[in-house]
Amino acid sequence: MIIAIDGPSGAGKSTLGRMLARTLNLLYIDTGSMYRAVALAVMESSVNATDDVAVGSLASRIDIDLEGDPESLRVTLEGRDVTEAIREEEVTEMSSVISAIPEVRRAMVQRQREMGGRGAVLNGRDIGTVVFPDADVKFFLTAVAEERAQRRFAEEREHDSKVDYIATLADMTERDRRDSSRADSPLKVASDAIVIDSTGLSIDEVFARMMAVVGERQKEEGSRRKADGRRQ
């Protein structure tokens, strides 16, 4: 089974994606971490971040891998563990910029398809529309910007006491604008996606809704296979 989870920043995609992958015993692929790894590679190289062709070429050459179970996923870049490094603020800002480059997205989409083709839970911005348009289940998670910013602020505050909520909200609003307006693979709701607005809901409440949808799809698939078996 391939499960696609799309949505804006702070919507809960990573947390819920890990929960689904663990419960369903599926591979978990955090595509955002892959773009962050590319951003780090750009920052550590002599490549100019404004040179789309050069950045895209670098993205297609570097070795990025995801290892471990959903709760302890490790990101490696050329065999080096960069799980913590890619969470730095500078890398986050760079990833938002380079993820809009068409050549980078094409390189990452190819890898994501290779990694998730045998079944996985993937989260990102274009999983259900571009990476796996035929995914078995598609979710689009969202919430009002203020609540998403509050969630991100709480997470960042654990690592940096100087984080400012207003700045976090402004940064998130700008990222929403870039993700939705970019020419290549913009953030949008797939026509057959299940939209869940998590505003005011707990993680467990959203997870229960998602599992109910997955359970229904599994039943439908089981019935279809039985019908096919009878016809054969």
Side-chain angles (χ1 to χ4, degrees):
M1 174 173 278
I2 295 176
I3 300 176
I5 306 176
D6 290 314
S9 179
K13 300 186 301 297
S14 297
T15 299
L16 289 157
R18 288 193 295 268
M19 293 172 71
L20 283 174
R22 184 179 65 250
T23 302
L24 300 169
N25 194 30
L26 288 171
L27 173 67
Y28 171 63
I29 301 176
D30 178 3
T31 63
S33 293
M34 298 176 71
Y35 286 103
R36 288 170 180 266
V38 175
L40 180 62
V42 170
M43 294 170 66
E44 293 180 342
S45 72
S46 59
V47 171
N48 188 326
T50 63
D51 187 336
D52 290 5
V53 175
V55 174
S57 177
L58 178 65
S60 66
R61 297 195 312 271
I62 56 177
D63 179 32
I64 299 172
D65 200 7
L66 305 178
E67 304 173 347
D69 59 62
E71 294 301 328
S72 58
L73 194 68
R74 311 302 294 177
V75 184
T76 62
L77 173 62
E78 299 295 345
R80 172 170 58 103
D81 189 334
V82 295
T83 307
E84 299 301 325
I86 62 173
R87 296 296 166 183
E88 296 294 332
E89 183 178 352
E90 296 82 359
V91 178
T92 298
E93 293 176 357
M94 178 64 76
S95 69
S96 182
V97 174
I98 65 98
S99 64
I101 299 175
E103 291 84 357
V104 172
R105 300 204 71 84
R106 282 194 285 272
M108 291 300 101
V109 165
Q110 180 178 343
R111 295 193 185 193
Q112 289 154 19
R113 286 173 175 166
E114 292 172 352
M115 295 172 69
R118 295 184 179 180
V121 176
L122 303 94
N123 75 56
R125 302 294 197 277
D126 62 349
I127 308 303
T129 54
V130 176
V131 184
F132 283 107
D134 296 323
D136 299 285
V137 184
K138 300 179 187 179
F139 292 109
F140 188 93
L141 302 182
T142 188
V144 296
E146 291 76 12
E147 184 161 330
R148 289 189 287 114
Q150 185 60 51
R151 295 171 186 170
R152 181 56 52 82
F153 170 70
E155 292 176 0
E156 296 178 345
R157 192 65 181 267
E158 294 180 1
H159 306 287
D160 185 358
S161 60
K162 297 181 181 179
V163 173
D164 179 70
Y165 167 74
I166 298 301
T168 300
L169 176 59
D171 178 70
M172 183 167 287
T173 301
E174 172 58 20
R175 182 159 190 175
D176 287 349
R177 185 196 66 77
R178 280 201 299 262
D179 287 343
S180 300
S181 61
R182 65 182 178 227
D184 192 277
S185 304
L187 171 66
K188 62 181 181 180
V189 183
S191 60
D192 53 348
I194 305 298
V195 179
I196 300 179
D197 187 334
S198 63
T199 303
L201 299 178
S202 68
I203 285 293
D204 288 338
E205 288 174 319
V206 179
F207 179 66
R209 292 189 183 186
M210 297 174 80
M211 280 301 298
V213 172
V214 172
E216 188 60 35
R217 295 294 169 84
Q218 289 176 323
K219 289 180 182 178
E220 292 174 358
E221 178 62 16
S223 297
R224 185 188 66 77
R225 289 181 177 179
K226 287 182 179 180
D228 289 344
R230 286 193 295 267
R231 284 196 292 269
Q232 292 174 359

